Amino acid sequence: MTGLERLRTPLTWLYAPGDRPGVVHKALYSGADIVIVDLEDAVAPHRKAYALDATVDLLADAHPVPVHVRVHTPLVIPTLAPLPGLCGLRVPKVTHATDIHRIAGLAPGLPLYPLLENALAVEHAYVIATAHPDVRGIALGEADLRADLGVRDDSGLDWPRSRVVVAARAAALPPPAQSVHPDIGDLDSLAAGCARGRAMGFLGRAAIHPRQLPVIEQAYLPTPQEVDAAREVVAAAETGLGALALPDGRFVDAAVVEGAHRVLALASRTA
């Protein structure tokens, strides 16, 4: 892992197909917090070898933003792991802790981000999240999960979404990012989906086009009213008087203060 990880809370993860180096280059300067070079679903089978070669060339150097790779097979990990430009691995179709142990053995010390894409993975969410110290976050792969569950309406994914949020928190990992919104032309639906995701406890979202990035960031940044309320809580806590009620009726205890600090950190994007 390089020293280029940004000292701010990431809200946007932009996927770029590994067999299109020009698109990857544009992604690096798109404003995304993290760029994910995709060797899996975005690359046709006959282009996998070329995509890997292009990604190896890309990762020979560090870049302005952290670069992760979503691998299509563990066989490529020994090739990628030593490269100075690689900051993390996105591991698809993880179903159990043994999957993580195998990957961690191939890339010691490299941050791992398992993707939970079927019912068994969701059932094992906490086990996967705590499988190894190199696991730095978990997320759903909703397209495959939707197919696996036979879900026909978006509300059918509410329980798996809550499950992964709870598992991440229980494992002391950052809140998960939402899965991608596949319709790059419908930014209103994207914004509405982000608002719902934020209410459920997600933080940020993966994207498949740069035009989605500002919508995601805006949806997940705290409002001025939320920032003012957080500052009031922090100021009250600094009096050292213990638990107390603010004029608007909010009760201030340790958990509320911790939440207020998270809001302020997110507002400044410095933690």
Side-chain angles (χ1 to χ4, degrees):
M1 180 177 177
T2 73
L4 291 177
E5 290 284 4
R6 288 185 175 183
L7 297 177
R8 68 178 191 172
T9 304
L11 294 180
T12 53
W13 290 258
L14 179 60
Y15 279 96
D19 63 337
R20 299 179 64 186
V23 174
V24 174
H25 179 78
K26 290 180 180 178
L28 294 173
Y29 297 92
S30 66
D33 293 318
I34 294 173
V35 170
I36 305 173
V37 179
D38 193 3
L39 300 181
E40 197 204 18
D41 290 344
V43 179
H46 71 281
R47 299 272 291 175
K48 300 287 188 186
Y50 170 72
L52 177 60
D53 289 343
T55 302
V56 169
D57 289 343
L58 171 80
L59 297 176
D61 298 305
H63 293 281
V65 296
V67 178
H68 295 185
V69 174
R70 180 165 74 166
V71 297
H72 60 296
T73 171
L75 296 177
V76 304
I77 293 176
T79 300
L80 297 170
L83 299 174
L86 182 63
C87 294
L89 288 176
R90 302 275 159 167
V91 187
K93 298 177 175 58
V94 173
T95 59
H96 205 279
T98 53
D99 301 326
I100 297 301
H101 295 157
R102 184 173 76 254
I103 300 299
L106 296 172
L110 193 65
L112 304 179
Y113 298 83
L115 299 175
L116 315 184
E117 302 185 76
N118 59 35
L120 183 59
V122 173
E123 285 295 303
H124 291 162
Y126 178 73
V127 172
I128 292 169
T130 57
H132 195 277
D134 289 344
V135 174
R136 304 295 174 81
I138 58 174
L140 292 178
E142 290 190 359
D144 285 358
L145 180 60
R146 190 185 299 271
D148 185 54
L149 297 176
V151 168
R152 302 184 66 179
D153 185 84
D154 195 62
S155 62
L157 293 180
D158 283 354
W159 187 85
R161 289 167 176 162
S162 293
R163 177 77 175 103
V164 76
V165 169
V166 171
R169 180 62 176 169
L173 296 174
Q178 284 184 274
S179 188
V180 300
H181 181 72
D183 188 345
I184 64 173
D186 190 351
L187 298 183
D188 290 338
S189 291
L190 172 62
C194 289
R196 179 171 173 77
R198 186 183 179 206
M200 296 183 73
F202 287 90
L203 184 61
R205 190 163 196 170
I208 55 175
H209 195 281
R211 73 177 63 170
Q212 296 178 318
L213 301 178
V215 177
I216 295 169
E217 183 167 9
Q218 184 61 40
Y220 272 98
L221 285 175
T223 66
Q225 294 79 7
E226 290 169 331
V227 172
D228 288 344
R231 285 174 177 157
E232 186 178 10
V233 167
V234 170
E238 289 174 350
T239 64
L241 298 178
L244 54 92
L246 298 177
D248 63 3
R250 283 176 297 150
F251 185 76
V252 177
D253 62 8
V256 174
V257 174
E258 180 185 357
H261 280 294
R262 288 199 299 267
V263 169
L264 296 180
L266 183 57
S268 62
R269 302 290 299 278
T270 58

